[in-house]
Amino acid sequence: MSFETILTEAPSPGVTLIRLNRPQALNALNSQLLDELGQALEIAEADDAVRCVVLTGSERAFAAGADIKEMSEKTYAEMFRIDFFAQAAQRIERFRKPIIAAVAGYALGGGCELAMLCDFIVAAETAKFGQPEITLGVAPGIGGTQRLTRLVGKSKAMDMILTGRMMDAAEAERAGLVSRVVPADKLLDDVLATAAKIAGFAPIAVMMNKELVDAAYETTLSAGVAMERRLFHSLFAFDDQKEGMSAFVDKRPAKFTGR
Ligand code: DAK
């Protein structure tokens, strides 16, 4: 399928790369882009061969936010009726395979929220994160107040959201917003290698690991630990557990089959 506002590629077996592609608007998220992103994720979810997705933008911007030009004239009734952004956000929330954000340049407003919807963020040294909605007279609307606060804590989240200031990559790493920072010219190679590594593991185990980490945000500690124990037990029902452990004992690389 061909899209206009995103580009999709399969750079290595098991990996789908999705690039946001509205360079004229610093990849601002308009309805078409969110719709196409949702469709690309549907395709990746349905294809058993896809094991990991990388979401990226350009050197200048991951995404500079929701498209202000598209949003500016909308009324309350329209926003409510179309349930602005809800479908796209929920599509990513329920995506069951790992999705990594590779962020260079601006990740602002909805762009920062989109990155936070991914499983983890790898930042180029040029990355700049922010929730500048306050400067437009609004508030974050795709989970920014909730996810940023969980990731960086109340003090820094309040500082970012109430002032609209940007955080550079080093601060974002110190604060726990991003998993690591890499030189800008290495960003994509680094993240694609990470994705290829994940794509080589036992797919059911990968999906269960993702589900378990996500559960840490939704459950109590005891319920999360109980769920972890159960899923750990359940992994012994798969050939891939036997293969992974035998390969270790035999000192050879494991060949996972997804069974
Ligand atoms: N929307 C539309 N166009 C944008 C844009 C955006 N967010 N950001 C940049 N552009 C466009 C600019 O208008 C410009 O287009 P032309 O004027 O050339 O036609 C082009 O991209 C290049 O931008 P600049 O000329 O401004 O480039 P600079 O390098 O000078 O500045 C900048 C880069 C990123 C600092 C600046 O563009 C900027 O401040 N952009 C806006 C950042 C921002 O405020 N983002 C937050 C948007 S509000 C909700 C869901 C979601 C949201 C809210 C509610 N619900 C479900 C309820 C989300 C809201 C937001 O994200």
Side-chain angles (χ1 to χ4, degrees), residues 24-26 28 60 64-69 84-85 108-110 132 136 141-142:
Q24 72 287 0
L26 300 183
R60 204 169 156 215
D67 191 315
I68 301 169
K69 292 166 190 166
F84 194 63
F85 268 129
L108 303 177
L136 301 168
I142 326 174

Side-chain angles (χ1 to χ4, degrees), residues 24 57 61 101 181 188:
Q24 72 287 0
V181 179
L188 213 51

Side-chain angles (χ1 to χ4, degrees), residues 4 9 24 29 32-33 36 38 62 83-84 118 139 142 148 155 170 194 252 259:
E4 286 176 4
E9 299 169 42
Q24 72 287 0
L29 310 170
Q32 183 183 1
L33 184 149
E36 292 185 352
F62 177 74
D83 207 3
F84 194 63
C118 296
I142 326 174
L148 188 66
S155 190
T194 302
R252 60 171 175 85
R259 287 191 293 273

Side-chain angles (χ1 to χ4, degrees), residues 168-199:
D168 67 16
E171 185 181 1
E173 186 181 27
R174 279 199 306 279
L177 176 59
V178 309
S179 70
R180 57 179 184 266
V181 179
V182 299
D185 60 350
K186 302 274 186 311
L187 176 70
L188 213 51
D189 286 350
D190 188 293
V191 179
L192 289 176
T194 302
K197 182 175 189 178
I198 294 170

Side-chain angles (χ1 to χ4, degrees), residues 80-91:
F80 184 83
R81 189 174 45 74
I82 60 175
D83 207 3
F84 194 63
F85 268 129
Q87 286 195 0
Q90 285 161 4
R91 186 64 199 86

Side-chain angles (χ1 to χ4, degrees), residues 64-96:
D67 191 315
I68 301 169
K69 292 166 190 166
E70 184 185 72
M71 256 187 319
S72 62
E73 296 303 323
K74 291 236 186 304
T75 62
Y76 178 26
E78 283 172 293
M79 295 294 263
F80 184 83
R81 189 174 45 74
I82 60 175
D83 207 3
F84 194 63
F85 268 129
Q87 286 195 0
Q90 285 161 4
R91 186 64 199 86
I92 303 170
E93 280 166 344
R94 66 183 165 77
F95 191 66
R96 297 180 71 204

